[in-house]
Amino acid sequence: MNIPQLTPQTPTSPCTVMSITASSSIKCCEDTVGRRKRLSIDDTGLLTFPEKNLILHVPTAKPPRPRRIILVRHGQSEGNVDEGAYTRVADPKIRLTERGKREAEECGVRIREMIEKDGADDWKVYFYVSPYERTIETLRGLGKAFQRSRIAGVREEPRLREQDFGNFQDREQMKIQKAVRVQYGRFFYRFPNGESAADVYDRITGFRETLRTDIDIGRFQPPGEQSPNMNLVIVSHGLTLRVFLMRWYKWTVEQFERLNNMRNGNEIVMQTGQGGRYSLLVHHTQQQMIDFGLTQQMLDDQIWQKTAKPGELNYDYLTNGPSFFTHFDDENEAIFN
């Protein structure tokens, strides 16, 4: 079948078409740095993405999992210094302070040094970033620590945005609403015209599924160049990152309420252990995680994560049983067993 010559204005795909010929492929922009990918013709003669072929025709061996998932909170922002900034500037437009820019650059250096300690020659980083101004600025600060050849790609991800606090043009109303949230509970309280942490949980659930698919199809590196020394960096906001961890590790609402915010310009590292699962205790100490808000039950699960394999379940995780059923005692245990 002859494929007609198309002009760049023809709406054949969401990307900007560069050229198309009878050779059955066109060049298309992608979210990679300094590299274009190609669309190809599938078995039905339709244009398709290589990633779709990986889903439809599952390979016998999955690509290696990235070595780390690194969660970075943006550097100090104008809103962190003066909450009144939100009454003058829309939340997505709040920028970093000079200190926040330095924090972002220092965080990038720490991440690079951490990765270099692995001793691998082929390591790279791939970024997911919230579209807010302060997170984009943080990303640019982080990026100063890496050469172009080390950056596999960047994706702007709106689902990683900050919790929507509503329209806070009235500073006194802002203080009242935040005080009410403390009484009502940080997870369920929804700001007027805004979101609750539970709402953030719903959109982070969708992002998590996207992330898992990206990992399964190995979208971070082209076929033949895939390495276990890939590192994912998620640049986002304090509450959003806590909700991400809650969703990933299946923590309860009560456990979420115990968590403390990360400091601006700091990182929490989920790193693969001996079996290939991500654990917070491969990079961090137990005391660091206690300071973050993890209970002993949560720490026990993280210890299990250090050696478990993907797909395995922790049947001894106490949150799944006795923490909900408080009537158990030794006598009842003897009866049930």
Side-chain angles (χ1 to χ4, degrees):
M1 178 179 69
N2 293 325
I3 300 177
Q5 187 77 19
L6 300 180
T7 64
Q9 290 76 25
T10 304
T12 58
S13 77
C15 297
T16 301
V17 176
M18 303 303 294
S19 65
I20 181 167
T21 68
S23 61
S24 78
S25 66
I26 67 174
K27 294 180 179 179
C28 175
C29 61
E30 243 291 0
D31 56 339
T32 48
V33 175
R35 180 172 66 242
R36 293 192 182 101
K37 287 201 169 190
R38 290 180 180 270
L39 290 172
S40 60
I41 302 295
D42 65 14
D43 295 336
T44 65
L46 297 176
L47 292 171
T48 184
F49 287 95
E51 291 91 339
K52 183 178 179 182
N53 287 331
L54 289 172
I55 296 174
L56 296 177
H57 309 287
V58 180
T60 55
K62 286 186 177 182
R65 290 185 129 202
R67 179 74 170 128
R68 299 175 182 86
I69 301 175
I70 304 168
L71 312 181
V72 175
R73 185 187 178 196
H74 63 79
Q76 184 190 74
S77 72
E78 296 166 345
N80 295 134
V81 176
D82 175 19
E83 283 196 342
Y86 295 103
T87 67
R88 303 184 298 271
V89 182
D91 194 3
K93 299 298 183 182
I94 294 288
R95 303 177 67 92
L96 294 183
T97 63
E98 289 303 314
R99 173 180 170 179
K101 294 176 182 178
R102 292 194 302 272
E103 290 173 339
E105 293 179 13
E106 292 167 359
C107 182
V109 172
R110 288 196 304 272
I111 291 174
R112 188 198 69 220
E113 292 175 346
M114 171 178 59
I115 296 172
E116 288 177 337
K117 287 181 181 179
D118 293 341
D121 295 329
D122 61 346
W123 65 267
K124 289 188 177 183
V125 289
Y126 187 100
F127 295 94
Y128 294 87
V129 61
S130 157
Y132 279 30
E133 190 67 31
R134 55 189 178 273
T135 42
I136 296 294
E137 288 185 325
T138 299
L139 171 68
R140 290 173 180 151
L142 295 171
K144 292 182 178 181
F146 302 97
Q147 296 175 324
R148 178 183 290 271
S149 61
R150 296 296 187 182
I151 300 177
V154 180
R155 181 191 291 182
E156 182 178 282
E157 178 49 75
R159 289 172 293 184
L160 290 174
R161 68 187 185 275
E162 175 65 289
Q163 177 184 8
D164 188 344
F165 296 109
N167 300 316
F168 272 163
Q169 283 73 37
D170 186 330
R171 188 171 184 177
E172 291 304 314
Q173 185 64 23
M174 180 192 303
K175 292 180 180 179
I176 293 172
Q177 295 298 335
K178 288 191 173 183
V180 173
R181 178 178 62 167
V182 172
Q183 298 176 351
Y184 193 87
R186 288 188 298 169
F187 189 77
F188 292 113
Y189 180 75
R190 179 181 288 124
F191 287 95
N193 302 311
E195 289 183 306
S196 66
D199 296 321
V200 178
Y201 184 97
D202 291 341
R203 57 177 159 87
I204 286 297
T205 295
F207 169 71
R208 176 180 177 271
E209 296 310 307
T210 298
L211 180 62
R212 287 177 62 108
T213 299
D214 286 351
I215 290 174
D216 288 342
I217 68 176
R219 71 166 288 119
F220 316 110
Q221 295 167 303
E225 300 179 20
Q226 293 169 342
S227 164
N229 299 310
M230 176 59 66
N231 298 269
L232 307 184
V233 182
I234 298 176
V235 187
S236 186
H237 309 263
L239 180 136
T240 306
L241 293 174
R242 280 179 280 141
V243 169
F244 176 86
L245 289 169
M246 175 192 183
R247 181 62 185 87
W248 187 279
Y249 291 115
K250 301 176 178 63
W251 292 338
T252 65
V253 171
E254 180 180 356
Q255 289 169 332
F256 169 83
E257 295 279 2
R258 293 177 50 93
L259 299 178
N260 300 306
N261 228 354
M262 298 165 54
R263 290 184 299 168
N264 290 112
N266 271 254
E267 68 280 357
I268 285 183
V269 180
M270 303 162 58
Q271 186 165 325
T272 50
Q274 298 175 15
R277 291 181 71 101
Y278 294 102
S279 171
L280 299 172
L281 293 182
V282 176
H283 177 79
H284 298 284
T285 66
Q286 290 197 32
Q287 187 57 53
Q288 287 174 324
M289 291 296 95
I290 291 173
D291 294 341
F292 181 56
L294 269 66
T295 65
Q296 187 58 53
Q297 292 177 354
M298 297 160 79
L299 289 173
D300 290 342
D301 181 58
Q302 291 299 316
I303 292 172
W304 175 83
Q305 300 271 358
K306 288 177 67 175
T307 58
K309 297 178 181 179
E312 291 183 345
L313 298 176
N314 185 0
Y315 292 101
D316 295 324
Y317 188 24
L318 294 179
T319 300
N320 294 333
S323 63
F324 286 99
F325 303 109
T326 57
H327 62 285
F328 292 140
D329 54 31
D330 291 341
E331 181 179 353
N332 285 331
E333 286 294 318
I335 294 174
F336 283 118
N337 291 332

